Amino acid sequence: MEMRTTFHKKLREIQDDILAVGSMVGKAILRSIEALKNRDLELARQIIADDQKINGKRFEIEEKCIELIATQQPMASDLRIIIAILNITTEIERIGDYAVGIARIVIMIGDEPPLKPLIDIPRMAEQTVDMLHHSLDALIKRDAEAAKKIATEDDLIDHLYDQVFRELLTFMAEDPKTITRATRLMWTAHNLERAADRVTNICERVVFIVTGKMEEIGASKY
Amino acid sequence: MESNTTCLEVKQLELWYGNFQALRDISMAVPHNRITAIIGPSGCGKSSLLRCFNRMNDLIPGARVKGEVLFDGRNIYAADVDPTEVRYRIGMVFQKPNPFPKSVFENVAFGPRVNGITDNLAEVVEHALHRAALWDEVKDRLHKSAMELSGGQQQRLCIARALALEPEVILMDEPCSALDPVATLKIEDLMRNLAEEYTIIIVTHNMQQAARVSDMAAFMMMEEDRAGVLVEHGPTSQLFTNPKDKRTEDYITGRFG
C-alpha cells in the first residue's frame, strides 16, 4: 500500500504545474526570437502580455508548496523536493522575464532593417530551451547525473555568446552607424545567456533533491 | 556549560526480557546539555533503551543487560553501583502524568524527604516548581491536591518532582502524548530551558516534536526477530533533512511505520 497518498498526489500536481509553466516559458523564449527575426511587433506585445500568466502560475505553485508544507509536514527528501520546487519556480519565472526583455528589444527595434541574418542568436535560444526542458525532465526523474550534464552544456551557450559578441564588434568597428542595432542584438544575446544560467541553477536544485548537497555546478564564465 | 562532551555513552548494549531479545548491539553517545530524541515505530525498543539509562529495566523480572552504559565515564551496570543512586542522578518522567494523590507541595517534597532533606524544604520545592515553569500557576494552591491540576500542569509537576532530586539527566518517555497541543508546546519550551542545565533524552512517537525540540536524534527499528536496533544517530537538523540511511528516510517521510 502506498503511504501518504494525499501528499504524493499533491506533489504530482505541483510537478505537472512546473512542467506546464516550463513549457510556457520555453515557448516564450522561442517566440521572442521569432518576433525578432520577423519584426513582428504584435507577437512581441503578446509575449509581454502572456508573461502575466506565467507569473500567476508561479504564485499558484508557491501557494501549493506552502500549503503542502503546512498541512503535510514533509521530511527528508520530501522536504527537499518542495524547497527545491520553490526555487525552481522562481528560476523558471525569471527565464520568462528574459523572454519579455527580448520582446521589449523587438519593440525598440521596430521596423529598422536587419543588421545581418540571425544565426547564432536563434541557436542560443534553441539550446537554452532544450536545456530547460531537459532540466525539468531530470527534475521529474530525480536524475542528478543528467542534471550535472545539462549544466555543462551552458559552456556551449557561453561559446555562442562569445561568437555573437565578436561578430557584432566587427560590424560596429567597420561602420559606427550600426552601433545602435548591434547593441540591441548584444542585449538579446545577453538575455539568452542569462536564461541559460538560470537553467544551470535549476540543475543545481535537482542535484540537491537527490543528494541533499548544495553545490555550484558548471559555473558560467559570465 | 558543558556542551560537546559526552554525558552518557552506550556501548554494545543488549537487552533481553527472558528469551526475547529487545535490544541488539546499541552504541551511541549522548552529549551533555543537549536534548536527544529517540524515534522509531511502535515496539522498536525506544522505551526499553530509555529505561536502560537509569536501570529501570532492573525492576522487570527476567530482564538482562549486556554491554555498558557509561555515565560520565563510569559503567552504571558495574557490580558496585547502587541502582537507586543512579536513579537519583538520572531522573525520569513518564507518558501519563502520575502525581501522587497528595498535595502539590508534598509531591515535589517527596523525593527530598525520602533522602532525608528536611531543612529549607519549602525553598527546594519552590525552586523545583520555578524551574518546571509551574510556580506561578500553583503558588496559591500548594496545599491542595495535585489531582486537581490540569493534565499539562500535572506533567510539569512530575517534572518538578524529578528536578527536586537535583538530577543531572532527565529521561522523558512520551511526556506529551496525553496532553493537548498547547500543554505540549509548554512542555517543549520547558525542555529547551531545562537543557541549559540538564541533559535530556526523550522518547517520542511524534516526529514533529522530535524535530522541533531535539538537538540530536536517534532512529531505531525492529529487526526480523523483533529485536530493536539503532539505525541512525546524528544532529536533528541532518536526520530530518538528509538522513543517511534509506530506512530512516522511509520512516520519517511516512513510507512505513
Side-chain angles (χ1 to χ4, degrees), chain A residues 139-182:
Chain A
L139 167 69
I140 301 301
K141 292 181 183 143
R142 313 279 189 263
D143 188 341
E145 287 315 305
K148 283 183 185 169
K149 191 172 157 285
I150 296 156
T152 60
E153 288 169 15
D154 186 49
D155 290 350
L156 184 60
I157 297 283
D158 289 349
H159 174 73
L160 286 169
Y161 187 41
D162 281 344
Q163 215 160 284
V164 169
F165 174 66
R166 280 197 307 271
E167 198 187 2
L168 292 173
L169 209 57
T170 318
F171 273 98
M172 292 189 272
E174 278 176 6
D175 179 3
K177 284 203 292 294
T178 65
I179 287 176
T180 309
R181 279 180 295 165

mmCIF file of all heavy atoms in Angstrom, chain A residues 139-182:
data_model
loop_
_atom_site.group_PDB
_atom_site.id
_atom_site.type_symbol
_atom_site.label_atom_id
_atom_site.label_comp_id
_atom_site.label_asym_id
_atom_site.label_seq_id
_atom_site.Cartn_x
_atom_site.Cartn_y
_atom_site.Cartn_z
ATOM 1 N N LEU A 139 14.436 16.765 -13.297
ATOM 2 C CA LEU A 139 13.711 17.005 -12.041
ATOM 3 C C LEU A 139 12.680 15.899 -11.802
ATOM 4 O O LEU A 139 12.624 15.306 -10.727
ATOM 5 C CB LEU A 139 13.011 18.376 -12.098
ATOM 6 C CG LEU A 139 11.960 18.649 -11.007
ATOM 7 C CD1 LEU A 139 12.607 18.789 -9.640
ATOM 8 C CD2 LEU A 139 11.153 19.901 -11.330
ATOM 9 N N ILE A 140 11.886 15.621 -12.818
ATOM 10 C CA ILE A 140 10.816 14.620 -12.665
ATOM 11 C C ILE A 140 11.426 13.239 -12.397
ATOM 12 O O ILE A 140 10.922 12.464 -11.602
ATOM 13 C CB ILE A 140 9.916 14.576 -13.938
ATOM 14 C CG1 ILE A 140 9.291 15.951 -14.183
ATOM 15 C CG2 ILE A 140 8.851 13.492 -13.819
ATOM 16 C CD1 ILE A 140 8.428 16.499 -13.075
ATOM 17 N N LYS A 141 12.548 12.968 -13.083
ATOM 18 C CA LYS A 141 13.168 11.638 -12.919
ATOM 19 C C LYS A 141 14.122 11.586 -11.733
ATOM 20 O O LYS A 141 14.712 10.540 -11.473
ATOM 21 C CB LYS A 141 13.941 11.271 -14.196
ATOM 22 C CG LYS A 141 13.036 11.035 -15.384
ATOM 23 C CD LYS A 141 13.855 10.648 -16.615
ATOM 24 C CE LYS A 141 12.942 10.489 -17.825
ATOM 25 N NZ LYS A 141 13.593 10.970 -19.068
ATOM 26 N N ARG A 142 14.314 12.705 -11.040
ATOM 27 C CA ARG A 142 15.274 12.771 -9.911
ATOM 28 C C ARG A 142 16.643 12.269 -10.366
ATOM 29 O O ARG A 142 17.273 11.445 -9.705
ATOM 30 C CB ARG A 142 14.800 11.921 -8.722
ATOM 31 C CG ARG A 142 13.369 12.117 -8.341
ATOM 32 C CD ARG A 142 13.175 13.358 -7.497
ATOM 33 N NE ARG A 142 11.818 13.402 -6.966
ATOM 34 C CZ ARG A 142 10.817 14.090 -7.520
ATOM 35 N NH1 ARG A 142 11.009 14.828 -8.591
ATOM 36 N NH2 ARG A 142 9.619 14.063 -6.984
ATOM 37 N N ASP A 143 17.083 12.787 -11.519
ATOM 38 C CA ASP A 143 18.317 12.291 -12.134
ATOM 39 C C ASP A 143 19.435 13.334 -11.986
ATOM 40 O O ASP A 143 19.552 14.264 -12.786
ATOM 41 C CB ASP A 143 18.036 11.986 -13.618
ATOM 42 C CG ASP A 143 19.200 11.275 -14.290
ATOM 43 O OD1 ASP A 143 20.335 11.337 -13.757
ATOM 44 O OD2 ASP A 143 18.970 10.655 -15.344
ATOM 45 N N ALA A 144 20.259 13.145 -10.947
ATOM 46 C CA ALA A 144 21.321 14.115 -10.658
ATOM 47 C C ALA A 144 22.400 14.105 -11.746
ATOM 48 O O ALA A 144 22.945 15.160 -12.102
ATOM 49 C CB ALA A 144 21.946 13.817 -9.299
ATOM 50 N N GLU A 145 22.686 12.924 -12.277
ATOM 51 C CA GLU A 145 23.743 12.837 -13.297
ATOM 52 C C GLU A 145 23.337 13.615 -14.543
ATOM 53 O O GLU A 145 24.121 14.371 -15.114
ATOM 54 C CB GLU A 145 24.028 11.368 -13.654
ATOM 55 C CG GLU A 145 24.785 10.619 -12.572
ATOM 56 C CD GLU A 145 25.956 11.429 -12.004
ATOM 57 O OE1 GLU A 145 26.810 11.869 -12.806
ATOM 58 O OE2 GLU A 145 25.993 11.650 -10.772
ATOM 59 N N ALA A 146 22.087 13.403 -14.975
ATOM 60 C CA ALA A 146 21.578 14.132 -16.140
ATOM 61 C C ALA A 146 21.637 15.637 -15.869
ATOM 62 O O ALA A 146 22.048 16.420 -16.730
ATOM 63 C CB ALA A 146 20.153 13.698 -16.449
ATOM 64 N N ALA A 147 21.258 16.036 -14.649
ATOM 65 C CA ALA A 147 21.246 17.461 -14.311
ATOM 66 C C ALA A 147 22.651 18.054 -14.428
ATOM 67 O O ALA A 147 22.832 19.144 -14.978
ATOM 68 C CB ALA A 147 20.694 17.658 -12.900
ATOM 69 N N LYS A 148 23.640 17.315 -13.924
ATOM 70 C CA LYS A 148 25.017 17.825 -13.998
ATOM 71 C C LYS A 148 25.467 17.966 -15.450
ATOM 72 O O LYS A 148 26.157 18.919 -15.812
ATOM 73 C CB LYS A 148 25.965 16.874 -13.269
ATOM 74 C CG LYS A 148 25.890 17.006 -11.750
ATOM 75 C CD LYS A 148 26.908 16.097 -11.095
ATOM 76 C CE LYS A 148 26.737 16.140 -9.590
ATOM 77 N NZ LYS A 148 27.503 15.104 -8.905
ATOM 78 N N LYS A 149 25.066 16.995 -16.274
ATOM 79 C CA LYS A 149 25.465 17.007 -17.682
ATOM 80 C C LYS A 149 24.837 18.223 -18.389
ATOM 81 O O LYS A 149 25.504 18.929 -19.144
ATOM 82 C CB LYS A 149 25.010 15.704 -18.342
ATOM 83 C CG LYS A 149 25.594 15.483 -19.718
ATOM 84 C CD LYS A 149 25.248 14.090 -20.232
ATOM 85 C CE LYS A 149 25.329 14.083 -21.750
ATOM 86 N NZ LYS A 149 24.179 14.766 -22.376
ATOM 87 N N ILE A 150 23.573 18.475 -18.104
ATOM 88 C CA ILE A 150 22.881 19.611 -18.737
ATOM 89 C C ILE A 150 23.581 20.919 -18.355
ATOM 90 O O ILE A 150 23.783 21.796 -19.200
ATOM 91 C CB ILE A 150 21.396 19.665 -18.298
ATOM 92 C CG1 ILE A 150 20.658 18.419 -18.795
ATOM 93 C CG2 ILE A 150 20.718 20.927 -18.817
ATOM 94 C CD1 ILE A 150 19.421 18.068 -17.979
ATOM 95 N N ALA A 151 23.976 21.008 -17.085
ATOM 96 C CA ALA A 151 24.615 22.244 -16.630
ATOM 97 C C ALA A 151 25.910 22.511 -17.398
ATOM 98 O O ALA A 151 26.250 23.666 -17.664
ATOM 99 C CB ALA A 151 24.884 22.159 -15.134
ATOM 100 N N THR A 152 26.621 21.439 -17.781
ATOM 101 C CA THR A 152 27.880 21.661 -18.514
ATOM 102 C C THR A 152 27.608 22.176 -19.929
ATOM 103 O O THR A 152 28.467 22.795 -20.548
ATOM 104 C CB THR A 152 28.726 20.375 -18.604
ATOM 105 O OG1 THR A 152 27.953 19.388 -19.291
ATOM 106 C CG2 THR A 152 29.125 19.870 -17.232
ATOM 107 N N GLU A 153 26.386 21.937 -20.436
ATOM 108 C CA GLU A 153 26.053 22.430 -21.777
ATOM 109 C C GLU A 153 25.974 23.950 -21.815
ATOM 110 O O GLU A 153 25.933 24.548 -22.896
ATOM 111 C CB GLU A 153 24.710 21.830 -22.242
ATOM 112 C CG GLU A 153 24.834 20.357 -22.579
ATOM 113 C CD GLU A 153 23.479 19.691 -22.769
ATOM 114 O OE1 GLU A 153 22.478 20.413 -22.918
ATOM 115 O OE2 GLU A 153 23.444 18.443 -22.752
ATOM 116 N N ASP A 154 25.978 24.553 -20.658
ATOM 117 C CA ASP A 154 25.984 26.016 -20.602
ATOM 118 C C ASP A 154 27.241 26.576 -21.273
ATOM 119 O O ASP A 154 27.237 27.691 -21.782
ATOM 120 C CB ASP A 154 25.892 26.482 -19.142
ATOM 121 C CG ASP A 154 25.755 27.993 -19.047
ATOM 122 O OD1 ASP A 154 24.900 28.556 -19.745
ATOM 123 O OD2 ASP A 154 26.530 28.614 -18.284
ATOM 124 N N ASP A 155 28.308 25.772 -21.297
ATOM 125 C CA ASP A 155 29.541 26.193 -21.983
ATOM 126 C C ASP A 155 29.275 26.524 -23.452
ATOM 127 O O ASP A 155 29.871 27.434 -24.019
ATOM 128 C CB ASP A 155 30.601 25.082 -21.914
ATOM 129 C CG ASP A 155 31.126 24.927 -20.488
ATOM 130 O OD1 ASP A 155 30.801 25.789 -19.645
ATOM 131 O OD2 ASP A 155 31.839 23.940 -20.239
ATOM 132 N N LEU A 156 28.394 25.733 -24.061
ATOM 133 C CA LEU A 156 28.072 25.953 -25.474
ATOM 134 C C LEU A 156 27.402 27.320 -25.643
ATOM 135 O O LEU A 156 27.677 28.061 -26.595
ATOM 136 C CB LEU A 156 27.152 24.821 -25.946
ATOM 137 C CG LEU A 156 26.788 24.830 -27.424
ATOM 138 C CD1 LEU A 156 28.031 24.723 -28.293
ATOM 139 C CD2 LEU A 156 25.822 23.689 -27.728
ATOM 140 N N ILE A 157 26.524 27.651 -24.702
ATOM 141 C CA ILE A 157 25.847 28.956 -24.730
ATOM 142 C C ILE A 157 26.894 30.076 -24.611
ATOM 143 O O ILE A 157 26.875 31.057 -25.373
ATOM 144 C CB ILE A 157 24.828 29.064 -23.568
ATOM 145 C CG1 ILE A 157 23.732 28.015 -23.721
ATOM 146 C CG2 ILE A 157 24.267 30.475 -23.477
ATOM 147 C CD1 ILE A 157 22.678 28.334 -24.748
ATOM 148 N N ASP A 158 27.818 29.896 -23.670
ATOM 149 C CA ASP A 158 28.853 30.913 -23.475
ATOM 150 C C ASP A 158 29.675 31.079 -24.756
ATOM 151 O O ASP A 158 30.044 32.186 -25.147
ATOM 152 C CB ASP A 158 29.772 30.519 -22.304
ATOM 153 C CG ASP A 158 29.058 30.650 -20.955
ATOM 154 O OD1 ASP A 158 27.958 31.245 -20.931
ATOM 155 O OD2 ASP A 158 29.594 30.154 -19.952
ATOM 156 N N HIS A 159 29.943 29.938 -25.411
ATOM 157 C CA HIS A 159 30.720 29.961 -26.644
ATOM 158 C C HIS A 159 29.975 30.736 -27.735
ATOM 159 O O HIS A 159 30.550 31.582 -28.434
ATOM 160 C CB HIS A 159 30.988 28.507 -27.071
ATOM 161 C CG HIS A 159 31.650 28.384 -28.394
ATOM 162 N ND1 HIS A 159 32.975 28.706 -28.594
ATOM 163 C CD2 HIS A 159 31.166 27.993 -29.611
ATOM 164 C CE1 HIS A 159 33.280 28.511 -29.868
ATOM 165 N NE2 HIS A 159 32.207 28.090 -30.509
ATOM 166 N N LEU A 160 28.673 30.466 -27.875
ATOM 167 C CA LEU A 160 27.875 31.175 -28.878
ATOM 168 C C LEU A 160 27.808 32.672 -28.555
ATOM 169 O O LEU A 160 27.863 33.521 -29.455
ATOM 170 C CB LEU A 160 26.450 30.594 -28.927
ATOM 171 C CG LEU A 160 26.309 29.222 -29.592
ATOM 172 C CD1 LEU A 160 24.915 28.646 -29.324
ATOM 173 C CD2 LEU A 160 26.542 29.317 -31.101
ATOM 174 N N TYR A 161 27.716 32.962 -27.282
ATOM 175 C CA TYR A 161 27.654 34.355 -26.829
ATOM 176 C C TYR A 161 28.941 35.084 -27.233
ATOM 177 O O TYR A 161 28.894 36.205 -27.774
ATOM 178 C CB TYR A 161 27.455 34.351 -25.306
ATOM 179 C CG TYR A 161 27.202 35.701 -24.685
ATOM 180 C CD1 TYR A 161 26.376 36.651 -25.279
ATOM 181 C CD2 TYR A 161 27.769 36.015 -23.450
ATOM 182 C CE1 TYR A 161 26.132 37.878 -24.664
ATOM 183 C CE2 TYR A 161 27.530 37.236 -22.827
ATOM 184 C CZ TYR A 161 26.708 38.168 -23.450
ATOM 185 O OH TYR A 161 26.474 39.370 -22.846
ATOM 186 N N ASP A 162 30.086 34.428 -27.014
ATOM 187 C CA ASP A 162 31.382 34.990 -27.432
ATOM 188 C C ASP A 162 31.379 35.291 -28.923
ATOM 189 O O ASP A 162 31.835 36.348 -29.381
ATOM 190 C CB ASP A 162 32.510 33.970 -27.195
ATOM 191 C CG ASP A 162 32.934 33.936 -25.734
ATOM 192 O OD1 ASP A 162 32.589 34.874 -24.995
ATOM 193 O OD2 ASP A 162 33.614 32.958 -25.344
ATOM 194 N N GLN A 163 30.860 34.307 -29.666
ATOM 195 C CA GLN A 163 30.856 34.417 -31.120
ATOM 196 C C GLN A 163 30.008 35.610 -31.577
ATOM 197 O O GLN A 163 30.428 36.393 -32.416
ATOM 198 C CB GLN A 163 30.254 33.124 -31.673
ATOM 199 C CG GLN A 163 30.867 32.672 -32.970
ATOM 200 C CD GLN A 163 30.572 31.191 -33.158
ATOM 201 O OE1 GLN A 163 31.193 30.355 -32.515
ATOM 202 N NE2 GLN A 163 29.601 30.882 -34.001
ATOM 203 N N VAL A 164 28.823 35.724 -30.973
ATOM 204 C CA VAL A 164 27.915 36.837 -31.299
ATOM 205 C C VAL A 164 28.617 38.162 -30.986
ATOM 206 O O VAL A 164 28.614 39.102 -31.789
ATOM 207 C CB VAL A 164 26.593 36.720 -30.500
ATOM 208 C CG1 VAL A 164 25.759 37.991 -30.623
ATOM 209 C CG2 VAL A 164 25.788 35.509 -30.976
ATOM 210 N N PHE A 165 29.252 38.205 -29.820
ATOM 211 C CA PHE A 165 29.931 39.429 -29.381
ATOM 212 C C PHE A 165 31.023 39.840 -30.388
ATOM 213 O O PHE A 165 31.067 40.986 -30.830
ATOM 214 C CB PHE A 165 30.539 39.192 -27.993
ATOM 215 C CG PHE A 165 31.373 40.333 -27.494
ATOM 216 C CD1 PHE A 165 30.800 41.572 -27.190
ATOM 217 C CD2 PHE A 165 32.758 40.183 -27.325
ATOM 218 C CE1 PHE A 165 31.575 42.627 -26.723
ATOM 219 C CE2 PHE A 165 33.536 41.239 -26.865
ATOM 220 C CZ PHE A 165 32.943 42.461 -26.567
ATOM 221 N N ARG A 166 31.881 38.863 -30.765
ATOM 222 C CA ARG A 166 32.977 39.175 -31.697
ATOM 223 C C ARG A 166 32.437 39.659 -33.040
ATOM 224 O O ARG A 166 32.911 40.628 -33.618
ATOM 225 C CB ARG A 166 33.867 37.944 -31.910
ATOM 226 C CG ARG A 166 34.863 37.723 -30.789
ATOM 227 C CD ARG A 166 35.963 36.771 -31.240
ATOM 228 N NE ARG A 166 35.413 35.528 -31.776
ATOM 229 C CZ ARG A 166 35.141 34.459 -31.022
ATOM 230 N NH1 ARG A 166 35.385 34.484 -29.716
ATOM 231 N NH2 ARG A 166 34.648 33.380 -31.573
ATOM 232 N N GLU A 167 31.402 38.989 -33.534
ATOM 233 C CA GLU A 167 30.846 39.337 -34.828
ATOM 234 C C GLU A 167 30.255 40.753 -34.812
ATOM 235 O O GLU A 167 30.512 41.562 -35.705
ATOM 236 C CB GLU A 167 29.772 38.308 -35.210
ATOM 237 C CG GLU A 167 29.452 38.335 -36.700
ATOM 238 C CD GLU A 167 28.274 37.424 -37.033
ATOM 239 O OE1 GLU A 167 27.692 36.816 -36.101
ATOM 240 O OE2 GLU A 167 27.943 37.352 -38.226
ATOM 241 N N LEU A 168 29.491 41.032 -33.759
ATOM 242 C CA LEU A 168 28.854 42.351 -33.675
ATOM 243 C C LEU A 168 29.890 43.454 -33.503
ATOM 244 O O LEU A 168 29.753 44.556 -34.038
ATOM 245 C CB LEU A 168 27.824 42.371 -32.538
ATOM 246 C CG LEU A 168 26.590 41.501 -32.787
ATOM 247 C CD1 LEU A 168 25.718 41.449 -31.546
ATOM 248 C CD2 LEU A 168 25.774 42.010 -33.981
ATOM 249 N N LEU A 169 30.969 43.108 -32.787
ATOM 250 C CA LEU A 169 32.053 44.066 -32.589
ATOM 251 C C LEU A 169 32.670 44.444 -33.932
ATOM 252 O O LEU A 169 32.971 45.615 -34.208
ATOM 253 C CB LEU A 169 33.119 43.429 -31.683
ATOM 254 C CG LEU A 169 33.935 44.359 -30.812
ATOM 255 C CD1 LEU A 169 33.023 45.179 -29.908
ATOM 256 C CD2 LEU A 169 34.925 43.547 -29.973
ATOM 257 N N THR A 170 32.798 43.444 -34.804
ATOM 258 C CA THR A 170 33.349 43.690 -36.143
ATOM 259 C C THR A 170 32.458 44.667 -36.913
ATOM 260 O O THR A 170 32.944 45.618 -37.525
ATOM 261 C CB THR A 170 33.449 42.353 -36.926
ATOM 262 O OG1 THR A 170 33.927 41.357 -36.040
ATOM 263 C CG2 THR A 170 34.359 42.483 -38.119
ATOM 264 N N PHE A 171 31.139 44.409 -36.840
ATOM 265 C CA PHE A 171 30.208 45.334 -37.513
ATOM 266 C C PHE A 171 30.395 46.763 -37.010
ATOM 267 O O PHE A 171 30.493 47.707 -37.793
ATOM 268 C CB PHE A 171 28.748 44.903 -37.255
ATOM 269 C CG PHE A 171 28.233 43.902 -38.224
ATOM 270 C CD1 PHE A 171 28.223 42.553 -37.918
ATOM 271 C CD2 PHE A 171 27.754 44.314 -39.482
ATOM 272 C CE1 PHE A 171 27.744 41.624 -38.814
ATOM 273 C CE2 PHE A 171 27.281 43.382 -40.382
ATOM 274 C CZ PHE A 171 27.277 42.032 -40.047
ATOM 275 N N MET A 172 30.430 46.877 -35.686
ATOM 276 C CA MET A 172 30.492 48.219 -35.095
ATOM 277 C C MET A 172 31.798 48.908 -35.442
ATOM 278 O O MET A 172 31.837 50.115 -35.706
ATOM 279 C CB MET A 172 30.308 48.135 -33.571
ATOM 280 C CG MET A 172 28.911 47.712 -33.191
ATOM 281 S SD MET A 172 28.571 47.849 -31.407
ATOM 282 C CE MET A 172 29.109 46.277 -30.820
ATOM 283 N N ALA A 173 32.889 48.133 -35.480
ATOM 284 C CA ALA A 173 34.197 48.703 -35.778
ATOM 285 C C ALA A 173 34.247 49.182 -37.229
ATOM 286 O O ALA A 173 34.808 50.230 -37.549
ATOM 287 C CB ALA A 173 35.286 47.673 -35.510
ATOM 288 N N GLU A 174 33.610 48.408 -38.108
ATOM 289 C CA GLU A 174 33.664 48.765 -39.531
ATOM 290 C C GLU A 174 32.765 49.937 -39.870
ATOM 291 O O GLU A 174 33.077 50.742 -40.722
ATOM 292 C CB GLU A 174 33.253 47.549 -40.369
ATOM 293 C CG GLU A 174 34.415 46.592 -40.554
ATOM 294 C CD GLU A 174 33.988 45.334 -41.302
ATOM 295 O OE1 GLU A 174 32.821 45.285 -41.773
ATOM 296 O OE2 GLU A 174 34.807 44.413 -41.378
ATOM 297 N N ASP A 175 31.599 49.995 -39.185
ATOM 298 C CA ASP A 175 30.644 51.047 -39.523
ATOM 299 C C ASP A 175 29.900 51.508 -38.273
ATOM 300 O O ASP A 175 28.943 50.875 -37.843
ATOM 301 C CB ASP A 175 29.663 50.507 -40.580
ATOM 302 C CG ASP A 175 28.612 51.554 -40.949
ATOM 303 O OD1 ASP A 175 28.687 52.702 -40.423
ATOM 304 O OD2 ASP A 175 27.717 51.210 -41.735
ATOM 305 N N PRO A 176 30.339 52.632 -37.709
ATOM 306 C CA PRO A 176 29.711 53.108 -36.463
ATOM 307 C C PRO A 176 28.212 53.312 -36.592
ATOM 308 O O PRO A 176 27.504 53.335 -35.586
ATOM 309 C CB PRO A 176 30.416 54.432 -36.188
ATOM 310 C CG PRO A 176 31.690 54.359 -36.963
ATOM 311 C CD PRO A 176 31.429 53.501 -38.147
ATOM 312 N N LYS A 177 27.676 53.432 -37.791
ATOM 313 C CA LYS A 177 26.236 53.621 -37.953
ATOM 314 C C LYS A 177 25.461 52.380 -37.491
ATOM 315 O O LYS A 177 24.272 52.436 -37.263
ATOM 316 C CB LYS A 177 25.888 53.933 -39.414
ATOM 317 C CG LYS A 177 26.245 55.375 -39.797
ATOM 318 C CD LYS A 177 25.436 55.877 -40.982
ATOM 319 C CE LYS A 177 25.777 55.185 -42.308
ATOM 320 N NZ LYS A 177 27.169 55.489 -42.776
ATOM 321 N N THR A 178 26.168 51.249 -37.367
ATOM 322 C CA THR A 178 25.493 50.005 -36.956
ATOM 323 C C THR A 178 25.448 49.840 -35.435
ATOM 324 O O THR A 178 24.861 48.889 -34.934
ATOM 325 C CB THR A 178 26.223 48.774 -37.535
ATOM 326 O OG1 THR A 178 27.533 48.707 -36.940
ATOM 327 C CG2 THR A 178 26.325 48.822 -39.042
ATOM 328 N N ILE A 179 26.097 50.775 -34.732
ATOM 329 C CA ILE A 179 26.253 50.567 -33.279
ATOM 330 C C ILE A 179 24.930 50.340 -32.567
ATOM 331 O O ILE A 179 24.786 49.414 -31.775
ATOM 332 C CB ILE A 179 27.046 51.736 -32.638
ATOM 333 C CG1 ILE A 179 28.517 51.621 -33.036
ATOM 334 C CG2 ILE A 179 26.907 51.731 -31.110
ATOM 335 C CD1 ILE A 179 29.409 52.749 -32.557
ATOM 336 N N THR A 180 23.928 51.149 -32.854
ATOM 337 C CA THR A 180 22.640 51.002 -32.159
ATOM 338 C C THR A 180 22.045 49.624 -32.404
ATOM 339 O O THR A 180 21.687 48.901 -31.478
ATOM 340 C CB THR A 180 21.652 52.086 -32.635
ATOM 341 O OG1 THR A 180 22.328 53.333 -32.530
ATOM 342 C CG2 THR A 180 20.398 52.105 -31.777
ATOM 343 N N ARG A 181 21.978 49.251 -33.665
ATOM 344 C CA ARG A 181 21.357 47.966 -33.996
ATOM 345 C C ARG A 181 22.160 46.795 -33.405
ATOM 346 O O ARG A 181 21.599 45.839 -32.892
ATOM 347 C CB ARG A 181 21.218 47.811 -35.517
ATOM 348 C CG ARG A 181 19.998 48.543 -36.057
ATOM 349 C CD ARG A 181 19.869 48.384 -37.549
ATOM 350 N NE ARG A 181 20.989 49.027 -38.250
ATOM 351 C CZ ARG A 181 21.283 48.801 -39.530
ATOM 352 N NH1 ARG A 181 20.571 47.945 -40.248
ATOM 353 N NH2 ARG A 181 22.290 49.437 -40.095
ATOM 354 N N ALA A 182 23.493 46.906 -33.486
ATOM 355 C CA ALA A 182 24.341 45.822 -32.974
ATOM 356 C C ALA A 182 24.194 45.698 -31.457
ATOM 357 O O ALA A 182 24.133 44.591 -30.909
ATOM 358 C CB ALA A 182 25.802 46.077 -33.349
#
